Amino acid sequence: MIRSVFLGCGSYLPGQYVSNDALIARYNLDSNNEWIERRTGISQRYIADGEKTSDLATKAALAALADAKLDARDIDAVIVATTTSDDILPATAARVQANIGMERGFAFDMRAVCSGFVYALTMANNMIRVGQAKHVLVIGAETLSTILDFKDRSTCFLFGDGAGAVVLGAKEGKGTNEDQGILATALHSDGRHYDMLKTDEAGLVRMDGKEVFRHAVTNLSDVVDEVLGSIDMKPSEIDWLVPHQANQRIIDGTSKKLALPPERVVVTINKHANTSAASIPLALSVAVHDGRIKRGQLIMINAMGAGFTWGAAVVRW
Ligand code: UT7
């Protein structure tokens, strides 16, 4: 059986980090650091200063290619998961394809908001499994600061800019859970909740935070059960949880479900805030490069976002 294995990963954070206090002062927000940290776990975020989503994506992609010791010419497809494309058309992936010097293959964007990376990973896995592509670059990249209303104290502190990328490659496996690579994925959406988290007429983020929170906890718990059950795996077999970084309290819900102690959960929300489609590849890249995640270990990835969309993947690094 052909498996999609992780050959490399990389990330990029733009500009300067902006602490909660600096953000509050800059936009004269009626808020305080203590409230933001206690409710979300966020202490700071990065905000791009003129760099576009494709610039962030390109830097993360080049880092991932170098890590995989591959050249852009080896890549068959580029998928950019993003909510904040440079332009409405064409796809940001087309810009990234050109930037990295890839003259063949194909490139497209994946738009599933905070679940974008899990969706893109699943599409890449499917393309590899059917033999359509051998090497796929999967990128999550966002400049969410461009669609935030910095006068809205209920949303603007939550999000940040950044990018992460992985290179997937085809490798023959035995078809068992001992194989390296993506072992199982599960995706869902429920468009009845479209209005819970969306952009308004001015193109700025509006969210019913309480409702999103409530659905996130339930949906993430269910999809973790589903993806593990699909390959007859137990929560106790998971070495690492690398979740979408939306809120520390949502992350705690999943880690409790998996009975994983905090030292087995990769948390970057304190430093990066919620970078939407970029948060999982960013967190993965951080934990792989600081030596926490090691070859052969089992990772649970999960995400939930606007749409609603949600999903999970079990992967052996
Ligand atoms: O990636 C997926 C998308 N997003 C998410 O998953 C986010 C999900 N939602 C959340 O993380 C949480 O709902 C928030 C962090 C956004 C908000 O936390 P909450 O515990 O749901 O707070 P709340 O909206 O119920 O607000 C509680 C109080 C309110 O005051 P009153 O009505 O109790 O007097 C708010 O007005 O906190 C007030 N408040 C603030 N206070 C200080 C709201 N924003 C702020 C603020 N600073 N920035």
Side-chain angles (χ1 to χ4, degrees):
M1 178 195 270
I2 296 175
R3 294 286 195 186
S4 311
V5 300
F6 291 79
L7 302 176
C9 58
S11 63
Y12 176 72
L13 289 160
Q16 279 285 327
Y17 75 81
V18 180
S19 69
N20 291 340
D21 282 333
L23 191 83
I24 290 164
R26 189 187 291 182
Y27 297 105
N28 199 19
L29 291 170
D30 178 14
S31 187
N32 59 80
N33 177 53
E34 195 272 331
W35 189 95
I36 297 174
E37 284 192 339
R38 185 164 44 82
R39 298 273 174 145
T40 66
I42 296 167
S43 302
Q44 61 175 53
R45 75 284 298 134
Y46 288 79
I47 295 187
D49 186 11
E51 284 185 291
K52 291 184 171 185
T53 296
S54 63
D55 298 320
L56 277 53
T58 299
K59 286 179 175 155
L62 290 173
L65 281 171
D67 189 41
K69 298 186 176 56
L70 287 176
D71 190 270
R73 278 169 300 200
D74 301 318
I75 301 297
D76 303 307
V78 178
I79 312 178
V80 176
T82 188
T83 316
T84 45
S85 45
D86 290 7
D87 297 295
I88 290 173
L89 67 94
T92 294
R95 179 74 81 194
V96 175
Q97 183 189 25
N99 284 352
I100 65 173
M102 178 183 155
E103 292 173 5
R104 52 169 214 88
F106 58 98
F108 64 97
D109 286 0
M110 169 60 64
R111 196 157 170 164
V113 200
C114 295
S115 311
F117 182 75
V118 183
Y119 270 61
L121 198 69
T122 303
M123 295 310 132
N125 182 39
N126 293 342
M127 292 185 327
I128 288 172
R129 296 273 297 268
V130 299
Q132 190 178 20
K134 242 186 165 156
H135 292 120
V136 183
L137 192 48
V138 185
I139 307 166
E142 302 280 12
T143 47
L144 288 164
S145 60
T146 60
I147 58 165
L148 294 175
D149 176 0
F150 285 102
K151 287 195 272 311
D152 178 4
R153 71 166 185 169
S154 71
T155 53
C156 72
F157 63 88
L158 279 171
F159 300 96
D161 301 336
V166 300
V167 180
L168 291 178
K171 188 181 171 190
E172 197 64 46
K174 292 197 175 74
T176 70
N177 288 346
E178 302 313 309
D179 286 350
Q180 199 190 350
I182 299 174
L183 300 180
T185 59
L187 298 181
H188 292 277
S189 67
D190 186 347
R192 288 174 299 173
H193 304 292
Y194 187 100
D195 293 326
M196 297 288 171
L197 176 49
K198 67 192 284 273
T199 49
D200 63 13
E201 306 75 44
L204 301 176
V205 172
R206 300 288 170 222
M207 175 173 72
D208 182 339
K210 267 207 178 334
E211 276 303 295
V212 177
F213 191 100
R214 196 169 65 77
H215 280 89
V217 172
T218 314
N219 291 342
L220 290 172
S221 167
D222 289 350
V223 80
V224 161
D225 280 342
E226 178 191 346
V227 75
L228 283 172
S230 72
I231 48 171
D232 285 326
M233 259 193 176
K234 291 190 242 5
S236 57
E237 294 175 75
I238 299 294
D239 295 301
W240 291 100
L241 172 64
V242 183
H244 168 50
Q245 312 279 321
N247 186 314
Q248 182 66 50
R249 292 184 291 143
I250 298 175
I251 296 173
D252 292 344
T254 313
S255 48
K256 212 167 147 194
K257 170 145 198 106
L258 292 169
L260 279 174
E263 59 273 18
R264 288 286 176 177
V265 182
V266 180
V267 173
T268 55
I269 189 165
N270 53 333
K271 291 190 176 151
H272 303 166
N274 179 349
T275 56
S276 195
S279 88
I280 291 172
L282 249 168
L284 254 180
S285 186
V286 166
V288 166
H289 291 299
D290 70 17
R292 273 180 288 172
I293 294 178
K294 297 189 174 54
R295 283 290 171 199
Q297 290 186 319
L298 267 181
I299 305 170
M300 169 68 75
I301 289 169
N302 67 2
M304 148 93 191
F308 290 143
T309 55
W310 65 103
V314 178
V315 312
R316 190 178 295 285
W317 193 253

